[in-house]
Amino acid sequence: MNKNEKINWDELGFDYIKTDYRYISTWKDGNWNEGTLTKDNMITISESSTALHYGQQCFEGLKAYRTKDGTIQLFRPNRNASRMNDSCDKLLMPEIPNDKFIDACMQVVKANERFVPPYGTGGTLYIRPFIIGVGDNIGVKPAPEYIFSVFCLPVGPYFKGGLTPVNFMISDYDRAAPYGTGQQKAGGNYAASLQAHKIASDRGFADCIFLDPSTHTKIDEAGAANFFGITKDNKFVTPISSSILPSITKYSLLELAKDYLHLETVEEDVLLDDLDRFKEAGACGTAAVITPIGGIEYKDKLHVFHSETEVGPITKKLYETLVGIQFGDIEGPEGWIYKVN
């Protein structure tokens, strides 16, 4: 993007925009190099890289927020660093020291400060760290070299319309295998979800609900986000499964529901045949933040929660609390906010 081009902050979607700088570091002979910022958004790798053939790669997603006084801050980047290292451990890739991960994100945000949307627009700077296996290799084994990179772009709401209820349908497909890579932020999980998402979108739904791959009786994830429900006796419930990505937003909401809204919180099985226990439901994640679920189509019938047009009061309060902390309007728990100096 040309420096003279102006961004319409109010019309941002969730689309790629080339920003000024990105960070890149390489791993070879057992060590990561220091890493550097570059203007080049293209990567040249060997045609035999494991990332291309065997899916040896993972990524993260986090955001930078501009507060009312103009300060820029990150939300719990240490948790993203830890989750990326969990993915690396599972996929036999070298871990990124937490300090290196956070420093890389900070460097990228500072170098692209002009792309951080103004306070009040609802926009954020989305940060995408990733690791890919590269180098000359054709056997099914870990790569000899790796690239760790971080880029960023300004984004608006993941689902158009912001905090408005949307409907989901139950998918017949699985996004991950039992005891597979469902708990890792690996690209293969997302590739496996594309067909199911297209079917849902073609039928007029925002996305699909993935069930547990073993029995297809319990909710695992809501598209590329985690699911939560508010029961009629005011419990915040979210599924527990070996196939669910441990969402940083979800675990933040579990704390906020308990400590700020004084709700009982539970991680447990969410059975499809027991949806009547919920008066509100939503999908949550870094990109989606909180997306209220109006209804879920199950057995050719739309099960509606609070409303198809209005946000439930507890979901709304959770959203306002989370976003208030992220944008600096509400004081969050200790250690959640990292200032970009």
Side-chain angles (χ1 to χ4, degrees):
M1 175 171 286
N2 189 294
K3 286 185 179 293
N4 296 320
E5 285 187 70
K6 290 187 177 180
I7 297 173
N8 188 333
W9 302 112
D10 296 320
E11 293 186 6
L12 281 174
F14 206 83
D15 301 298
Y16 179 78
I17 294 173
K18 182 185 177 183
T19 50
D20 293 334
Y21 292 94
R22 63 273 313 128
Y23 173 96
I24 190 163
S25 178
T26 58
W27 185 93
K28 189 175 182 179
D29 299 327
N31 293 291
W32 289 105
N33 69 4
E34 187 175 347
T36 186
L37 292 174
T38 176
K39 289 187 175 184
D40 190 359
N41 70 333
M42 295 293 165
I43 296 175
T44 300
I45 60 174
S46 168
E47 63 187 353
S48 64
S49 294
T50 60
L52 299 177
H53 301 277
Y54 308 127
Q56 197 187 24
Q57 57 85 249
C58 67
F59 66 99
E60 275 299 320
L62 63 157
K63 290 178 177 178
Y65 308 81
R66 195 182 295 276
T67 66
K68 187 178 290 186
D69 67 5
T71 301
I72 299 173
Q73 57 189 32
L74 304 183
F75 181 74
R76 311 191 76 179
N78 56 319
R79 293 294 297 263
N80 292 94
S82 296
R83 190 171 65 181
M84 174 164 266
N85 282 332
D86 287 341
S87 297
C88 287
D89 182 62
K90 177 75 170 183
L91 300 171
L92 296 184
M93 300 194 292
E95 293 187 0
I96 302 289
N98 282 19
D99 290 347
K100 182 181 181 71
F101 178 99
I102 294 171
D103 177 64
C105 292
M106 291 282 192
Q107 285 191 49
V108 168
V109 173
K110 284 190 279 190
N112 294 287
E113 182 174 350
R114 73 186 184 95
F115 290 96
V116 182
Y119 174 85
T121 62
T124 55
L125 188 74
Y126 185 78
I127 306 164
R128 171 55 60 85
F130 64 92
I131 301 178
I132 56 175
V134 297
D136 296 328
N137 178 79
I138 202 60
V140 183
K141 59 185 178 183
E145 300 173 22
Y146 296 86
I147 291 174
F148 168 54
S149 185
V150 181
F151 67 94
C152 67
L153 59 151
V155 298
Y158 187 75
F159 290 110
K160 302 296 184 184
L163 194 68
T164 55
V166 295
N167 293 336
F168 285 66
M169 64 169 280
I170 299 296
S171 177
D172 294 327
Y173 296 95
D174 296 328
R175 62 172 284 278
Y179 308 107
T181 59
Q183 289 188 327
Q184 283 71 48
K185 204 165 177 65
N189 300 340
Y190 294 82
S193 74
L194 294 177
Q195 186 179 31
H197 172 77
K198 184 179 186 302
I199 292 170
S201 181
D202 288 347
R203 291 194 54 203
F205 293 91
D207 212 330
C208 60
I209 298 287
F210 290 106
L211 305 181
D212 70 293
S214 296
T215 70
H216 285 192
T217 60
K218 298 172 284 190
I219 289 178
D220 256 13
E221 294 210 312
N226 278 194
F227 175 89
F228 72 86
I230 308 298
T231 65
K232 292 174 180 176
D233 58 352
N234 290 331
K235 292 180 183 175
F236 179 97
V237 177
T238 187
I240 188 166
S241 164
S242 64
S243 301
I244 295 176
L245 181 74
S247 164
I248 292 154
T249 303
K250 181 186 82 170
Y251 283 107
S252 299
L253 289 175
L254 279 165
E255 287 192 50
L256 296 179
K258 180 180 179 181
D259 297 337
Y260 284 61
L261 274 64
H262 309 295
L263 304 176
E264 183 179 344
T265 59
V266 188
E267 284 186 272
E268 63 185 13
D269 290 339
V270 176
L271 295 170
L272 268 183
D273 289 333
D274 202 17
L275 292 181
D276 284 336
R277 64 191 287 228
F278 298 111
K279 61 180 180 179
E280 299 178 32
C284 62
T286 297
V289 190
I290 291 179
T291 298
I293 297 177
I296 295 175
E297 186 186 77
Y298 175 46
K299 293 182 177 178
D300 298 322
K301 179 183 176 183
L302 186 68
H303 180 96
V304 177
F305 297 99
H306 177 77
S307 166
E308 287 187 76
T309 57
E310 296 181 4
V311 183
I314 294 177
T315 300
K316 184 178 181 182
K317 183 64 177 176
L318 282 168
Y319 176 85
E320 291 172 347
T321 304
L322 175 63
V323 171
I325 291 170
Q326 291 172 333
F327 281 100
D329 298 323
I330 297 173
E331 186 174 352
E334 184 177 354
W336 280 23
I337 298 298
Y338 285 61
K339 300 287 185 182
V340 179
N341 298 317

